[in-house]
Amino acid sequence: MEPARRPGGRSAKVRAAVHEAVLDLLREEDWDDLSLPKVAERSGVHQATLYRRWGTLNSLIDDMVTEKLAHGSPVPDTGTLRGDLEAYALQVADDVAGPLGSLYLRAAMVGTRGPEGGTYLVQRAVSLQEMLERAAGRGEDPPTLLELMEVVIAPLYYHAIFFSRPVGHEHARTLVDRLLSLCPTS
């Protein structure tokens, strides 16, 4: 007979407590002051657990963003390439403008540096590639993933990082129009 399992279990509770502690700390202090020992103290989770599970603060941030985007910001499937691209661009614009925007931006920057970050970037790229393949399967002529990244996603992040103000929905739609103009039959 198999033992009864607790929904979520201890591991899920630890993860949720640690993620919440990071968010609480970021509301109170600067990114540069954030550390695993402070997260351990705030969450009530022993430092050794944090180091064993995540290893570094960057890995913890990457884990948080991976979870938040997987649950709160899935890649859309509207049934058309244009619909998918527009829904995704609007979602990204909203994400970087929202309360977790700085977390997403920081994770994107960390994820491009070395092996300790980037899980969410890889998972998101896989989901976006699947979205483009769905469009091709419907007979549409989608852009490449690189074109999507360069023409739509990178400008949305760049604008939020360097101009300190995210773009609105109209600008996000303009980026999608620009991308689709590169596709021969769009």
Side-chain angles (χ1 to χ4, degrees):
M1 180 169 194
E2 207 173 296
R5 294 186 178 253
R6 293 174 291 164
R10 184 180 186 285
S11 182
K13 289 177 185 171
V14 165
R15 187 178 189 211
V18 168
H19 287 188
E20 189 59 36
V22 170
L23 293 174
D24 287 345
L25 287 166
L26 287 175
R27 288 182 194 107
E28 299 168 10
E29 55 189 60
D30 198 51
W31 272 100
D32 295 331
D33 296 328
L34 190 64
S35 66
L36 284 179
K38 284 184 177 183
V39 172
E41 182 180 332
R42 177 63 64 98
S43 67
V45 175
H46 198 278
Q47 279 187 47
T49 300
L50 297 180
Y51 284 105
R52 185 175 50 254
R53 181 158 184 178
W54 289 284
T56 67
L57 184 60
N58 289 344
S59 292
L60 171 56
I61 298 299
D62 186 64
D63 179 58
M64 285 181 61
V65 171
T66 300
E67 183 207 3
K68 297 285 184 199
L69 289 177
H71 296 297
S73 195
V75 173
D77 184 0
T78 66
T80 68
L81 176 60
R82 177 175 289 281
D84 290 351
L85 292 172
E86 281 188 4
Y88 185 69
L90 298 178
Q91 189 174 292
V92 171
D94 288 345
D95 285 344
V96 297
L100 297 179
S102 63
L103 180 68
Y104 298 145
L105 295 172
R106 176 75 171 221
M109 290 187 289
V110 167
T112 61
R113 298 184 193 128
E116 64 182 29
T119 302
Y120 102 88
L121 293 173
V122 171
Q123 288 182 354
R124 189 50 52 134
V126 168
S127 296
L128 291 171
Q129 184 61 48
E130 289 169 356
M131 177 183 74
L132 298 173
E133 289 170 4
R134 279 194 310 267
R138 292 189 299 261
E140 297 177 276
D141 190 18
T144 65
L145 179 59
L146 182 59
E147 290 169 332
L148 172 58
M149 299 295 281
E150 289 177 342
V151 178
V152 177
I153 299 169
L156 292 171
Y157 274 76
Y158 183 89
H159 198 85
I161 293 168
F162 293 105
F163 297 125
S164 298
R165 57 182 174 27
V167 300
H169 284 192
E170 196 55 42
H171 188 75
R173 285 186 186 96
T174 299
L175 294 172
V176 170
D177 290 341
R178 189 174 301 153
L179 174 65
L180 290 174
S181 74
L182 300 173
C183 301
T185 59
S186 292

